[in-house]
Amino acid sequence: MSWYLIIPFFVLIIAFLLRMPIGFGMLVGSIAYYLAKGISIGSLINTIGYGLTNSYILIAIPLFIFTANVMNSSKVTDKIFDFARSMIGRKPGATGYVNILASLIFAGMTGSAVADASGLGVLEISQMKKEGYDMPFTCAITASTSVIGPIFPPSIPFVIYAMISGASVGKLFMGGMVPAIILCLVIGVYVYFISKKRNYPIGTKVDFMDFLKSTLGALPALMTPVVLLFGIYTGIMTPTEAGAVAAAYTLLISFFVYRTMRLKSLGRILLNTIRTSGTIFLVIAGAYGFSYIVTAEQVSKEVVSVMSGLVSSPWAFLLVVNILFLILGSLIDVNVSQLVFVPIIMPLVHFYNIDIVHFGVMICLNMMIGLLTPPFGMLLFVTAGIGNVSLKEMIRETLPMIIVLLIALAIITYIPETVLFMTRLVK
Amino acid sequence: MSRTKKIARIFIDFFEIYIPVVTFVLLFLVFLLNVFFRYIIKNPQNWTFEFSVNAFVIVGLVGSCIAYRNEDHVVFDLIYSRISIKGQNILRIMSYSIIVIAFSIAIPPSFVYLWKLRTFVTPIMKIPVSIIFLSFPVLLISSVIRSGHRLVLDIKSYKDKIYIQQYNTEKKDSLI
């Protein structure tokens, strides 16, 4: 490891301070490093270009984003919400539970927390407001349930993690199922107690005919995760191809079954897909530049030798990593934490003999909790914006939910079977 | 809008919007074709994989240009949002100056490298690799032009003691 390593990280810190796009900061850092080392900057094209062409799995990301955009634009969310409401029925705080269940169902279609908060979230927040729930709680529960999105398959962070670690996307998707249900349960328990304490409204009674009607209405949308997961686990399609098929399926049902999509809106959806993909891929491109530096400077080797002396057991290592990523998650974007820091600690994961799928699910959940923590709590900003609630009030309501989610994180961290049990079903 | 501005807008839109959008649509359709050929016709096509991975480079890198145009990129604004508008103006000037300088340095060697790649083609479709990898210099050039333009506007704001950002002032919708 040479002193040149300071250059890209110093530039990245400067980029942070100046509010420069982080992907650009990483590229500028790489350019500065290449210049200082006398390496041709042209070879940065090589690193980034071949890095992207060799990451076939990443193609799933724009496809999942496209699916999420189609789902949100075609109001498929309405059908999902109605179905979730008919499932929950009459209970104190029923719409709180509906929020959880709808997020779990929507998670099976999009794989993005922000898609859940900004799409389904609008519906959840307006309905809870209508029923008289207090708004800070409404926004906080919507933000918290959005965390389930990338944990239940499909998942954009899992795809990025698979690219970094070499873990199987199929196994990661399978491994996320039980943790997503654990998240639903812990949030559900919290909703149960808070609804009793605050006398939240009891849901409407749903008779069998209403239930049947809402189920039939939601059935085409509910088939999306079935199409996706069936395609992957029967080996018919790769996760990337499944992303394309799921997108085609959502387009078909939006145009021809629900008739809620117009050709005119397709242009906007495509443009938004490119914009969102562009934000992720700039960070990925910058991360390729950084990963070349990290490899050339043998940073991982140094980190392993230092950390293995300081931390004696896998348990302690997982604790340290969880604390580190919770702090990182509250400060920087999920993709940045994942693309910059995960490659550095991956050799330690192998050193401590931790299953990479278990580690992947744990780290992704950890980073999703980071989306709820200020100052860089993207989900807080999105839902507070929708509900027109002050961030201060919302943070106060979100804190107990973060504690509940941390309990789930601890369970998933220290009981690897919660993740690995399902992965054994995949060959 | 003047004729020159209109032509410039069409030119920029072509690179920043139409190329990535059309490439994404093709990528999507090729994926569906791939599944169709493999499982319905039972005749897997090799070119579909090659097309997808190369189209993906264009979607990712050129797509970053339109994201930059709309200021969608991930930033750390904890400090920026807590300082005065004059301070924010100065930070923007510094940020754009760094981007313009660093990326301007990187553009010529990028083209030299692409020139070296001019004989390389993809194995099946024989697409020149330099065309695919041209996306990276396009990103650099687009970012230099856009940052340069914003830099000029921010310096003007500073000189006029207005300090506030003069571009991308309209409220943005959620992207998903």
Side-chain angles (χ1 to χ4, degrees):
Chain A
M1 213 159 65
S2 68
W3 70 268
Y4 291 108
L5 184 65
I6 300 166
I7 298 170
F9 285 96
F10 176 73
V11 173
L12 190 61
I13 291 166
I14 296 288
F16 270 49
L17 299 178
L18 297 180
R19 202 198 62 150
M20 185 189 289
I22 290 168
F24 280 172
M26 290 158 98
L27 283 178
V28 173
S30 303
I31 291 167
Y33 174 85
Y34 277 51
L35 279 175
K37 283 278 255 186
I39 305 168
S40 162
I41 296 173
S43 59
L44 195 57
I45 296 188
N46 204 39
T47 311
I48 294 170
Y50 283 113
L52 287 173
T53 51
N54 289 328
S55 303
Y56 174 74
I57 187 65
L58 289 182
I59 308 175
I61 296 173
L63 295 168
F64 288 151
I65 292 170
F66 182 56
T67 309
N69 274 322
V70 173
M71 282 284 184
N72 278 335
S73 298
S74 59
K75 307 282 174 211
V76 172
T77 43
D78 294 22
K79 306 285 177 191
I80 297 167
F81 192 78
D82 283 347
F83 171 70
R85 212 149 55 148
S86 71
M87 287 279 285
I88 299 296
R90 265 176 84 81
K91 273 179 196 69
T95 317
Y97 298 111
V98 172
N99 199 319
I100 300 169
L101 183 60
S103 288
L104 181 67
I105 298 167
F106 197 63
M109 301 171 190
T110 65
S112 156
V114 179
D116 183 318
S118 58
L120 193 62
V122 176
L123 202 67
E124 291 166 342
I125 291 170
S126 65
Q127 185 60 33
M128 288 178 84
K129 188 180 176 182
K130 226 182 284 170
E131 290 179 19
Y133 286 82
D134 48 89
M135 283 310 280
F137 170 79
T138 299
C139 293
I141 187 83
T142 304
S144 306
T145 56
S146 301
V147 166
I148 301 163
I151 304 302
F152 194 79
S155 159
I156 293 172
F158 282 174
V159 171
I160 296 177
Y161 175 80
M163 183 268 291
I164 298 168
S165 65
S168 147
V169 177
K171 284 194 174 182
L172 281 164
F173 281 3
M174 211 62 163
M177 285 185 185
V178 174
I181 292 163
I182 293 174
L183 289 178
C184 291
L185 290 175
V186 292
I187 302 171
V189 169
Y190 178 73
V191 170
Y192 173 80
F193 285 109
I194 206 87
S195 301
K196 276 201 156 181
K197 192 180 163 197
R198 296 183 186 171
N199 273 327
Y200 280 147
I202 297 167
T204 45
K205 196 179 171 203
V206 180
D207 60 33
F208 181 72
M209 283 315 285
D210 286 338
F211 174 73
L212 200 67
K213 203 177 147 194
S214 61
T215 308
L216 286 176
L219 199 61
L222 294 174
M223 288 304 287
T224 315
V226 178
V227 168
L228 204 122
L229 299 177
F230 179 80
I232 296 172
Y233 295 116
T234 51
I236 293 176
M237 290 174 256
T238 63
T240 318
E241 287 168 345
V245 172
Y249 177 77
T250 51
L251 270 180
L252 280 176
I253 60 168
S254 306
F255 271 115
F256 302 112
V257 180
Y258 294 127
R259 294 167 189 264
T260 44
M261 174 75 96
R262 299 271 174 277
L263 266 178
K264 215 172 141 186
S265 45
L266 197 57
R268 190 182 45 80
I269 290 171
L270 283 168
L271 183 62
N272 283 351
T273 301
I274 296 298
R275 283 171 62 185
T276 316
S277 305
T279 59
I280 296 176
F281 286 109
L282 183 69
V283 179
I284 292 177
Y288 276 121
F290 257 55
S291 68
Y292 169 82
I293 298 167
V294 165
T295 312
E297 294 290 340
Q298 298 187 310
V299 176
S300 300
K301 205 175 146 191
E302 288 293 324
V303 171
V304 170
S305 75
V306 172
M307 281 292 285
S308 55
L310 291 174
V311 179
S312 54
S313 71
W315 277 56
F317 168 70
L318 290 175
L319 180 70
V320 171
V321 167
N322 269 320
I323 293 169
L324 175 74
F325 274 80
L326 281 170
I327 296 167
L328 283 173
S330 68
L331 294 173
I332 52 176
D333 177 63
V334 171
N335 296 321
V336 180
S337 337
Q338 183 153 228
L339 287 157
V340 176
F341 299 101
V342 171
I344 297 173
I345 57 164
M346 270 326 281
L348 282 164
V349 177
H350 295 294
F351 178 83
Y352 288 111
N353 213 10
I354 296 163
D355 188 283
I356 54 171
V357 173
H358 171 231
F359 185 78
V361 174
M362 179 202 88
I363 214 74
C364 287
L365 172 58
N366 183 309
M367 288 186 293
M368 290 307 121
I369 295 172
L371 287 175
L372 288 173
T373 48
F376 200 91
M378 181 66 94
L379 292 175
L380 291 180
F381 303 147
V382 171
T383 48
I386 296 168
N388 204 13
V389 171
S390 85
L391 265 177
K392 198 177 157 189
E393 281 177 301
M394 204 186 143
I395 290 166
R396 202 171 45 220
E397 278 291 343
T398 314
L399 275 174
M401 296 185 205
I402 293 174
I403 294 168
V404 160
L405 292 173
L406 288 176
I407 294 169
L409 177 64
I411 295 169
I412 291 154
T413 302
Y414 292 111
I415 310 175
E417 278 306 301
T418 52
V419 174
L420 300 177
F421 160 70
M422 288 295 281
T423 62
R424 295 206 183 95
L425 301 176
V426 188
K427 281 178 193 163
Chain B
M1 206 189 281
S2 74
R3 201 185 147 98
T4 325
K5 266 192 176 174
K6 260 187 188 168
I7 294 170
R9 174 53 68 99
I10 291 169
F11 184 75
I12 293 168
D13 283 354
F14 175 75
F15 276 102
E16 292 185 342
I17 300 176
Y18 298 114
I19 288 184
V21 167
V22 169
T23 313
F24 174 75
V25 172
L26 289 175
L27 170 89
F28 174 54
L29 294 175
V30 164
F31 258 107
L32 297 179
L33 260 182
N34 187 33
V35 176
F36 177 77
F37 270 106
R38 191 166 357 136
Y39 297 106
I40 314 284
I41 309 218
K42 308 270 181 208
N43 177 21
Q45 302 286 304
N46 290 336
W47 66 270
T48 52
F49 173 80
E50 193 180 283
F51 179 86
S52 314
V53 291
N54 289 301
F56 167 65
V57 176
I58 298 171
V59 171
L61 293 178
V62 185
S64 298
C65 302
I66 184 68
Y68 188 46
R69 173 163 155 179
N70 293 288
E71 291 192 87
D72 298 325
H73 283 304
V74 180
V75 291
F76 179 83
D77 60 358
L78 194 60
I79 292 154
Y80 179 89
S81 57
R82 278 168 173 70
I83 59 174
S84 66
I85 53 163
K86 188 179 175 184
Q88 291 181 347
N89 191 189
I90 294 168
L91 289 192
R92 287 198 305 273
I93 290 172
M94 288 166 71
S95 168
Y96 292 133
S97 304
I98 292 173
I99 294 171
V100 169
I101 293 167
F103 286 7
S104 299
I105 292 171
I107 291 168
S110 301
F111 278 105
V112 171
Y113 191 80
L114 283 183
W115 181 250
K116 284 181 192 163
L117 289 179
R118 69 190 182 282
T119 53
F120 288 63
V121 289
T122 58
I124 301 159
M125 295 181 79
K126 309 289 176 204
I127 309 167
V129 173
S130 53
I131 298 280
I132 312 291
F133 288 1
L134 188 66
S135 318
F136 186 66
V138 166
L139 169 67
L140 293 180
I141 293 168
S142 160
S143 309
V144 166
I145 295 171
R146 200 164 294 286
S147 303
H149 178 238
R150 289 175 185 171
L151 180 63
V152 170
L153 292 175
D154 277 326
I155 291 173
K156 207 166 163 262
S157 271
Y158 186 82
K159 275 187 179 168
D160 297 344
K161 296 189 173 154
I162 304 168
Y163 306 123
I164 53 167
Q165 186 171 316
Q166 304 287 316
Y167 41 87
N168 279 344
T169 45
E170 65 275 14
K171 199 174 175 282
K172 278 194 289 186
D173 286 336
S174 167
L175 279 180
I176 298 187

